[in-house]
Structure formats: structure tokens, C-alpha cells
Amino acid sequence: MEALADFALTFVGQLQKPTLAFLLGGMLIAALGSKLVIPDAVYRFIVFMLLMRIGLAGGMEIRNAEPGDIFLPALIAVAVGCLIVILGRAVLPRLPGVKVEDGIATAGLFGAVSASTLAAAMVVLDEEGVVYEAWVPALYPFMDIPALVLAIVFAGIHQQRQSGAHKRVRIWPIVADSLRGSALSALLLGLLLGLFTRPESVFDSFYDPLFKGLLSVLMLIMGIEAYARLAELRRVAHWFALYAFVAPLVHGLLAFGLGTLAHYATGLSPGGVILLAVIASSNSDISGPPTLRAAIPAANPSAYIGSSTSIGTPMAIAVGIPLYLSLGHWVFGL
Amino acid sequence: MEALADFALTFVGQLQKPTLAFLLGGMLIAALGSKLVIPDAVYRFIVFMLLMRIGLAGGMEIRNAEPGDIFLPALIAVAVGCLIVILGRAVLPRLPGVKVEDGIATAGLFGAVSASTLAAAMVVLDEEGVVYEAWVPALYPFMDIPALVLAIVFAGIHQQRQSGAHKRVRIWPIVADSLRGSALSALLLGLLLGLFTRPESVFDSFYDPLFKGLLSVLMLIMGIEAYARLAELRRVAHWFALYAFVAPLVHGLLAFGLGTLAHYATGLSPGGVILLAVIASSNSDISGPPTLRAAIPAANPSAYIGSSTSIGTPMAIAVGIPLYLSLGHWVFGL
Amino acid sequence: MEALADFALTFVGQLQKPTLAFLLGGMLIAALGSKLVIPDAVYRFIVFMLLMRIGLAGGMEIRNAEPGDIFLPALIAVAVGCLIVILGRAVLPRLPGVKVEDGIATAGLFGAVSASTLAAAMVVLDEEGVVYEAWVPALYPFMDIPALVLAIVFAGIHQQRQSGAHKRVRIWPIVADSLRGSALSALLLGLLLGLFTRPESVFDSFYDPLFKGLLSVLMLIMGIEAYARLAELRRVAHWFALYAFVAPLVHGLLAFGLGTLAHYATGLSPGGVILLAVIASSNSDISGPPTLRAAIPAANPSAYIGSSTSIGTPMAIAVGIPLYLSLGHWVFGL
Amino acid sequence: MTHKATEVTIVAEKVIQEQIVEIIERAGATGYTILEGSGKGQHARRTHERPSVAGDAFDIVKIEAILGDRAAAEQVADEVANTLFTHYSGIVYLEEVEILRRARFWR
Amino acid sequence: MTHKATEVTIVAEKVIQEQIVEIIERAGATGYTILEGSGKGQHARRTHERPSVAGDAFDIVKIEAILGDRAAAEQVADEVANTLFTHYSGIVYLEEVEILRRARFWR
Amino acid sequence: MTHKATEVTIVAEKVIQEQIVEIIERAGATGYTILEGSGKGQHARRTHERPSVAGDAFDIVKIEAILGDRAAAEQVADEVANTLFTHYSGIVYLEEVEILRRARFWR
Ligand SMILES: Nc1ncnc2c1ncn2[C@@H]1O[C@H](COP(=O)(O)O)[C@@H](O)[C@H]1O
Ligand SMILES: Nc1ncnc2c1ncn2[C@@H]1O[C@H](COP(=O)(O)O)[C@@H](O)[C@H]1O
Ligand SMILES: Nc1ncnc2c1ncn2[C@@H]1O[C@H](COP(=O)(O)O)[C@@H](O)[C@H]1O
Ligand code: NA
Ligand code: NA
Ligand code: NA
């Protein structure tokens, strides 16, 4: 009860903060038919800037981190990524009107990770004064890649059963393809540069100070896109919308629980637990869809992109982040 | 006489300031055949940034403003927008070689408002230490929309007379279309966010500090475009050029006069009076032309875009702003 | 020996600095097949920002400079630009498998100047605390234009010999075309604005603070492009690769020597000598290739662009800059 | 095996893109493709590179629609020419093409 | 003097661009041209203006290849239609064109 | 009602765009359309997505002009092929199209 009241307060408080406000503002103006468009080149540059910032900070902090501290959270990330897809594979295709491939691809996308949601959570935590290990955001690929790979493997198995033909799904190309995508490339390059070089001067003068402002623009874009793609969602079974509402929170809570174990086992900070929950809660926007389109051609993109962009991402940001934050208050007495 | 000397001094002083210097620099390099181009994506992002900045500041200040203080200036904005169009409608089509539709569309564009001119004036006032109510720039739509609507109505009436057919001009779609344009959307969204949320952190770290620098780039673009479109202007009656020279100043003085009334009546600040004059003086670049092209197809875009971009905007920025500033010195003893 | 050790140390130290680290990082991720792309619009805007920054700083400083101080370094710049092309003209076409036109065009490109290399050197010097006259970077066109013009003249002469036809190469159009290119336009406009107006406010709040961060993004782009164009280089004679390895250092050392004369003759600062060496060492990326493509159509662009972008530029930045820096330590006791 | 079909191409100002698309859809086309470009005709030349200071309404778009039914394609061409090209810039033309998967182009 | 040749045009999702190009090259084409656009067909409409939040895989590309040999062009069209258009969006069609410099289009 | 006309299409490096346009205008065309793209031919492949580090001179443009007079179209094609394609990349080809508003294409 108290927790619920705290969540309500946190949620209303976040509504006032730029992150959520710009997201909802974007949805609002799109709903009102605004023609405001942030150019694609700007969008792509913002995503690069955010991921480079996250990578650099992570790399600079990993220098001083105990490898042992990272191991368990990384393992949890992998486990959660796989669990989400297994769960989705089990549930979605059972729902009436849901094609097996569509269900698998959607589960894969919800297991994968969104850079924008992650960056939003970082800014919220910073504003709330909640600290976290800078390497936690860098766990992103540990959840993202296993989720996408597993979904593609499930789709391959399904197709084999259908066609009888035996065609092995090769895993390494999928992993390599993910790592080479623009999002993970930027993150990992930032990580490397942070780890092995001294990027402090550009980090402090450029990547870090622009982070919050660029994120507000990105939130606006995500809000506009969320509304714009609702139309696509309308063309597929309603179960996708329901899944997109519920799944981010279930996934986040699952990760929050496992993260809490890591808190007690190896001292993962409360902020780290919250971020782990957000990573799980998020669903991939940039990198996931093209990977899935290429690897599971039989799946209808309207189903998985619609549910992810239109409902999943707003839920993860607008409801998920305040929820895990207030859970953090409650569980860790933040 | 003294006022003239003051204007001359102010003008020469402004020539040294980045705003005017970049505008004239852009015209110069374009005249010399430079191939320098600021990419369209960057241009559009800059405009977004400036309007969001203006909107946020306005919204944050309106929170504390007396609604009564805003009412009279808003009314003046509407009145000036309409007066400009009525004046243009009466004068332009009487000139030899000017087609009625071309005259009406041009009057509409000069009644409408330019975000770049407005932003330029704000930076000039800031540098001069002249304060103004942050909601004054947000009066933009109060002049912009009535002017465009009235021009389109005039064009509709004219066409009916020509063709005899009775076809009512529907006003609401024009208003809605204006509000949905990329410029007004950004401004109004910023206003809303400033009014109802707490965007201070991104305003102070991102939108505000980048304002002046981005404006210098925008001035460069406007200068380049001003020169580039002179060619278009050459293909239409010379009267358009003359109108574009004179009208911005006439409109600005008109608004300055009415604004001075508001100064004495409800305490509008001298800086606010100057900005009101600049808004009237400015002529729309981004949002006006497409609206007019769609709504008055019979008007030749070379006439209204050429006169506005090539002469009207440079006049409003280079002559208008220093003029109203030195008038402010003179009238209000700034 | 000591100098060599100092160079080795300087080089390793630079590897840790953002400038070199981002360049090599770009090459690395491109080699690993990353799909990360910085949008073209962002690239072009970054180049504009850097050159405007360089121009403004130069212009503001020339105000207070003795014209006499600038004369000798400018003369050296012209001389080095010509010498590089004469040298390349003499050597390259003699190598087996090298077409005369390809050799001339390549020599022209290596005589011309790269804005990104220049900006990189400025950031390195700033970080090392090595001061230089802000007008030295503005000597850029004094080396760039003569080199391109001379290469085009040589190509014209060669073609006349081949065809027998007598067709004079007109020099002014080439010079004008260079000056009008986007890179030199931005630099010269910045110079003018710095010289004749007071751009301090935007310089200090916008162009200067963003310089270092934007350069890191540009270095990333250059690294990615360097790798991407290796394929083109493979399709031409290996001698181009060898030239691209050796020439930047030879050119830089030549300019370092002549610059040292200017140091003793007219007091050019050690930092100025180093920058002069870097300018000579660099080879044009943005402006040179189109000029050469238009003026020497018979030359194969894969030869000159491949050797410049893939090897010449990385050599000038990664080896050249540390080399001249450690030479500066050694010669001037920095 | 291929089948005959008619491609109708319209090059016009972007400001009328939506109206052209409506005409195409009303004529029963199963789809269309839009390419952005620049061009020169009787009116001012527009280039795609310069920033769209006057908005993108004046950009040039090339819209192509393939219709299985020639009469429908002609109808599109006529309607665009008669209702839109009176005031707006543009050209329209037809070409015979050979399509695969014929059903794709009939509605 | 001009010669007959066949142009095969494919409008499709960018995600299969590389696969289409491979088919074209295997058929012996000496080159191809790619234009980026947007379009509407049986599937969701994509526009080129909005930011590519879901990646650019869903953009529409128009790929054109001119082949001196008509049979090769037909082979390209068939292969694209049969192997790629089962799951991915797209259309393919052929046109007769008149080329100059014939040797340019034979390998 | 439609009329016959000839479309001449040139795909080439952007560096010669102005020269091509001049040839087209000299031949009496009433307009032309330019689309930006990427492509592969005998020379290095250029893609439109990567930043234009070596300038945009190497981008690929597709230039189309419709001429009412077939001979004029052939002249454009010949002149481009003979004067520009000796050193620069590119292809040129002709197609017959059916235009509306015939006067639009005669000067
Ligand atoms: N003869 C032509 N050939 C090809 N494209 C043309 C031609 N005439 C006009 N266009 C295109 O149609 C657009 C509008 O033409 P206009 O209505 O003449 O201004 C131009 O910007 C060109 O892109
Ligand atoms: N009838 C048509 N005419 C022209 N282009 C089409 C047509 N049908 C489809 N297209 C193009 O092909 C793409 C894919 O079509 P679809 O597979 O129907 O979704 C669309 O986005 C259009 O760009
Ligand atoms: N067979 C072809 N079909 C379609 N486009 C081609 C063909 N050959 C060349 N091109 C285009 O023409 C450009 C220049 O060709 P090239 O001169 O062969 O390098 C290429 O980049 C392609 O865009
Ligand atoms: Na997830
Ligand atoms: Na106005
Ligand atoms: Na050089």
C-alpha cells in the first residue's frame, strides 16, 4: 500500500521531469497531427552520442572495478535475456490469432535492449541522486544478444518442424551481426576507449554535458514514433498490445528480483539493481528490428515493431522506471 | 536627428555583433559564389532547438505572469497581423504588373512571423542587457496565424469574384494546419512543457547555452539563402522588391506604436515592445510558404518567397532590429 | 637516439589521447565490419564548425599581429605546397605501373591540406600546452591552393605534350574554385568575421568549447573511412601505398626545417613551426578530390583518394603529429 | 513469364504529393513508389542540397505507380494533369512495362 | 546509334538489398543503380522523412540494372520474385531500353 | 490522349552534373529531373550513406529529360557519351514514353 503510494508519487514526480515530459509531449503532438520531425541524421547522431557516452563512462569505471563484481550481474543479464524469450515463446503463440513466428520475434524484441530507455533511466537516477556502477549500463549486450539469438534459434527450430527440412541455425553470424550493428558498435567502442585510453577530456567537455539535453530530444522522437506506429499495431492481433503492456513490467520485476540477489551476494548497488531492471524492461528499437527482419523473414514486422515502439517502450520508460525507482526506495531504503 | 544618429550608431554596433555579422557574411560568401552549404538536417534541427528554447522560456515565465498582462499584447499581435494583410491587400494589387493573388500571398507572408528573426532579436536584446517578458516571443502565433488565415480568406474571396462560383473558405483547417507545422508545434510544445513541467535542468544545460551559437549558424544560412533567391525575385515585378524593403519597417513601427500603448496601459516592458515590433517586422520563412502554396495555388511562389527571403528578412534583421532598439533608447530612455 | 626515444614516448602518449584513440578506434571497428555510420549531414556540419572555429580564432588574432610576422611563414607555406607537387611530379610517374596523370593528381592531393589533420594537431598542441600563433592554422590556403593549381598545370602540360594540341590551362578559375569550396569558404569567412567583427561571445560559448568533442567524432569518421577505402587502394599500383606512407613525413620534415628558419628569422613560435609541419604533412580530404576530379579527368580517383584517405591521413595524424611534437621538444627544448 | 502493365510517372512539387497519391489510390493501384529529387522546368529550379528554408513543399518528388489496367493508368494521368497541373508544377507520362506476379497489380 | 537492352527494376525493402545485388551480379550485369525512396504497397507505408527508429532495414530502395541480354534480365526478375518476395516486400518489372556504347553492358 | 516522346536517362558522377545539364538544355529540353543515388559499375562502388569525406563529386546522380523530339534526345545521348564518358563514369540510354500535354515538351 505504502509502496503503491510511493510509486504514485514517484510517477507523478517523474511526469514533471524532462525525460518523461518530452516523451509524453512527443506522443501528444503526434496525436494532434503535428508535422514536427527531427531529421533522421540528427536522430542517428543522438543515439551515437548517448551510446558513446555510456560506453566511455563504463570503460573508465571498469578500469577500477573488480572483475568478480561484474560477473554475477552479467550472468543475470544473460539469464534474464533468455528467460524473457523462453517465456514469450511459451505464451504468445498460444494466444488466438498469433502466428508462431510473430510471437517469437516479438518475444525476441522484448528480450533485447533499448538504448534510449537505458539512457532515460540513467538521467532519472542522476537527477534523483541515486548512484550506480558505471559499468552496469554496459551490461546491455549481455542481455541483448542472447535474447535475439535465442529468438532466432526458436524460429529456426519452428521452421524446421514445419518444413521437415533440416537446416541448422548458425549462431555466430547472428552474434557478429549484433555486435556490428551501429548501436552496439558505438557502445563497445566507447567501452574500449574508456578502458584503454584517457578520454576524460572529451568526456567531460562534450559527451557528458550534452547527454541530458540530447536525451530530451530523443525522448521527443520516441514519443512521436510511439504514436505514429499505433496504426501498425491496429492491424495485428490485440494480444500483442496486451503483451506490450504487461511484459515490460514483468521482465523488469524479474530482473529486479535477481538483481537484489546480486546486491546481497556481491554488493551490486541499489542503483545498479534498478538499471538492471530497466534494461530487462526495455525492448529494442534500433538494432533489434533489422536483425529480426533479416533472420525471421516470415514474421510480420508490424506485430513486433508496433508492439515494441508504440506500447512497450513508453511503458518501460513511463511506468517501468518510476516503478523500479520506488521499489528501490522500498527495498533498499534509498 | 539625435534619434537618427543613435540609430546609425546602434546599426554600426550591431554590424560587429555575431548575429548581423553572420547574416551579412552569409550574403557575402553566396555573392562570391561559395559552395558552402549547411545541411538541411542541421538547419531543421537548429530551428527546432531555437523554437523549443523560446517556448520553454516562455512557458516557465507564464507560470508567474498575470494573465491580464498578456491579454493586451496578444490582442495587439492579432490586430497587427490582420492590419498588415489588409494593408498589403489594399496596396500591392494596385501596383502595375502585380497579380492580385501574388499580392495577397506576399502580404500574408509579411504578416506572418519568422522564428529566425525573432531569435536574432532575442540574442541582440540579451547582449544589450535589455530585459523583456519571456512570454513575449511566445506571442508569435497570435500574429502569424491570423495573418495567414486572412490572406487565404482574401484569396478565396477574390477567386470567387473571378469565377462566380461560391465556395466558402474554411478557416479552421488553415488554423489547424498552421498549428501543426513544424515551427509552431515546437514552440507550443515548449510552451506546454515550460508551463506544466520542470524542464529547468535541460533548459539550463542544453537549450539555453546553445541558443546563441546555433543562431549564428542560422543567420549564416539565412544570409546565403537571401542571396541565392535574389534570382527568383528578378523574375517578378520590381514592386515586390520595393514592398519588401519598406514593409518590414512600416509594420515594425506600427507594432512599436501599439506596443508603446501597452507599455503605458499594462506595463509591457520596453524590451517587450521592441520584440513585438520585431515580430511584426519579420516575415515568415519556414511555415508560411508551404501553407500559402497549398492554399493559394494561383500565386507565384517566386514573388512571395523571393521578396521575403531575399529582402524582407535581411531588412527586418539588419535594419529593423537596430531601428527598434534605438527607438527604445529614445522613447523609453533605455 | 634520444630523439627517437622521445618520439616513441610521445607516440605512445598520444595513443591514449582522444584524438588518436578515436582515429584508431574508427579503423578498428571498420576492420571488424561495424555498420556504425556517422550521417553525412553531421560530418559536413562538424567540418564547418571546425573550420569556422579555426578561422574565427585566426582572424581575432591577426588583428593584433604584425603583418611582417605573417609574411615569411605564408611564403614558406606557398613554397612547400609547390615543392611537394614538384617532387611528386618528378618521382611518382617514374615508378613502374604509375600513369603520369595519376601521379600528378596524387602529388597535388598530398600538397594540398586537410582540415581534419590540422584540427587534430591544434587539439594535441592545446593538450600539451604548446602555444602557437592563432593565425598559423589560417595559412592553410597558402599551401593548399598553390599545390592544387600546380598539379593541374602539370597535368595540362602533360596532356598537351600527349595530344599536341595547345590548350592553355587557366589558373584563376582553379583558384576561385578552391576558394569557393565549402572548406575554404568556412575558413575564410571565419577569418573575416574574426578580423572585422566581434564574434567573441559565440566563439567562447559555442565554437571553441565544442571544438575538441566534435574533433573526436571527426577522427572516428576519418578512421572508418581510412579502412573503408583500403579496398580502392588495392586496385592500383602498390607504389601509391608506399608514397602515401613516406611522403607525409618527408613533407612535414621539409616544412619543419623551413619553419625553424622562420623561428630564428622572424620569431615564429615553436608551436607555429610544428603546425606548419602538420599542414605540409596533411593531405586534402574534402576539397582536393572534387577539384582534381573536375580538372584532371584522366586521373583515376582510386589512386589519389585511396592513398590519401587510407594511408596518408592516418600517417599524418598518427605518426606525423607526434613526430613533429617530439622534434619540437628536441629542437626548441619545449 | 511476364505480363503487360502500365506505369504512370508523375514529377511534381511535394506540396501536392498527398493529392496525387489519393488519385492513384482511387484509380485502384495496389501501391506506388516515391523518390525525392530536384529538377528544373518552367518554374524556378529547386535543388535538394540546400536547406529547405522555405519548407519542403517546393521539393520535387517523382511518384511511380504500376497499374495492371491501362485505362486506370490513363485516368490517373488525366486527372493529375487536369486538376493539379493547372496551378502546380509538374509533368506526367506513361510507359508500358512487363511485370511479374500479375495478381500483385490488380485489386 | 542505339542498341536494345533490358532494364530490370526492383523496388524492395532495404533489408534485402545485398541479396538482390548478388543476384544481379551473378546474372552478369555490368552494374546497377540504387535510389532510395519510400512507398506503399500491401504492407505498411514507409516514409523516408521520419527518423529510422526501427533501423533503415525497412526503407524502400529502387534498384535498376540494364543488361544486354534479355534472358539474363528475366532470370534476375524470376530469381528475385521466387526467392525473396515470398517473405519480403517488393515488386519487379522489366522494360526495353535503347543503350549507347553496347559493349558497356556485356561482360 | 497521349503523345510519343523520348526520355533520355543519364546515370553519372555528380562532378559532371552541370555539364550534362548544359547539354540537355542546349538540345532544347524544357526541363529535367535529378535523383541522387548510388551505384556500381566499372569503377569503385559508391554508397550514399557514408559521409562524403572525399566530397560529393563522386556521388551518383540519375538525370532524366523528356524531349518531344527524338532526334534531340539522341543528340543529348551522343554528346554525353562522346564528350563526357571518355573519362568520367556513367551510362546513358533512351526510352519511348507517352506524354500528356504535348506543348509542355516542345520549346
Ligand atoms: N522535359 C522534362 N523532362 C524531365 N523532367 C521535367 C521536364 N520538365 C519538367 N520536369 C520536371 O518536372 C518538374 C516541374 O516542372 P515545371 O512544371 O515545368 O516547373 C521540374 O522541376 C522537373 O523535375
Ligand atoms: N503498384 C505499384 N506501383 C509502384 N510501386 C509499387 C507498387 N506496389 C508496390 N510498390 C512498391 O513496392 C514496395 C513494396 O511493396 P509491397 O510488397 O506491396 O509492400 C512498396 O513500398 C512500393 O514502394
Ligand atoms: N548495367 C548497368 N545498369 C544500371 N546502372 C549502371 C550499369 N552500369 C553502370 N551503371 C550506373 O552508372 C554508374 C557509373 O558506371 P561506371 O561508369 O561503369 O562506373 C554506376 O555507379 C551505376 O550507378
Ligand atoms: Na528487454
Ligand atoms: Na510579420
Ligand atoms: Na600537404
Side-chain angles (χ1 to χ4, degrees), chain D residues 11-13 38-44 46 60 88-91 93, chain F residues 7 29-34 64-67 101 104-105:
Chain D
V11 182
E13 286 178 81
S38 54
K40 182 171 167 182
Q42 294 168 332
H43 305 88
R46 304 154 192 97
I60 288 292
Y88 296 105
S89 283
I91 60 170
Y93 55 94
Chain F
E7 179 176 56
T30 53
Y32 52 85
T33 300
I34 302 179
E64 304 168 338
I66 296 177
L67 293 107
R101 306 192 298 159
R104 252 329 248 89
F105 299 89

Side-chain angles (χ1 to χ4, degrees), chain D residues 30-33 64 66 104, chain E residues 11 39-43 60 89-91:
Chain D
T30 53
Y32 53 83
T33 300
E64 304 168 339
I66 296 178
R104 245 342 240 85
Chain E
V11 182
K40 182 170 168 183
Q42 294 169 331
H43 304 87
I60 288 293
S89 283
I91 60 170

Side-chain angles (χ1 to χ4, degrees), chain B residues 78-210:
Chain B
V78 174
V80 171
C82 294
L83 275 174
I84 291 173
V85 178
I86 293 170
L87 210 72
R89 170 71 182 91
V91 173
L92 275 165
R94 296 241 158 76
L95 303 174
V98 171
K99 233 176 49 185
V100 178
E101 287 92 345
D102 293 357
I104 293 174
T106 305
L109 211 57
F110 278 71
V113 178
S114 152
S116 52
T117 306
L118 176 57
M122 289 167 65
V123 167
V124 167
L125 291 187
D126 284 348
E127 296 208 329
E128 297 293 317
V130 177
V131 293
Y132 53 86
E133 295 83 355
W135 48 258
V136 175
L139 294 182
Y140 170 163
F142 286 89
M143 200 180 298
D144 194 63
I145 295 177
L148 291 173
V149 168
L150 193 58
I152 294 167
V153 169
F154 281 161
I157 293 172
H158 172 73
Q159 213 206 314
Q160 269 168 43
R161 270 194 221 137
Q162 299 291 93
S163 65
H166 191 75
K167 208 190 122 211
R168 266 198 65 190
V169 176
R170 290 167 57 232
I171 290 178
W172 173 240
I174 310 169
V175 176
D177 200 60
S178 286
L179 292 170
R180 282 175 188 143
S182 57
L184 281 187
S185 290
L187 179 80
L188 294 175
L189 176 60
L191 215 67
L192 275 183
L193 292 173
L195 197 51
F196 294 116
T197 74
R198 305 260 146 226
E200 279 80 359
S201 63
V202 289
F203 182 83
D204 293 337
S205 71
F206 188 66
Y207 292 98
D208 191 45
L210 290 174

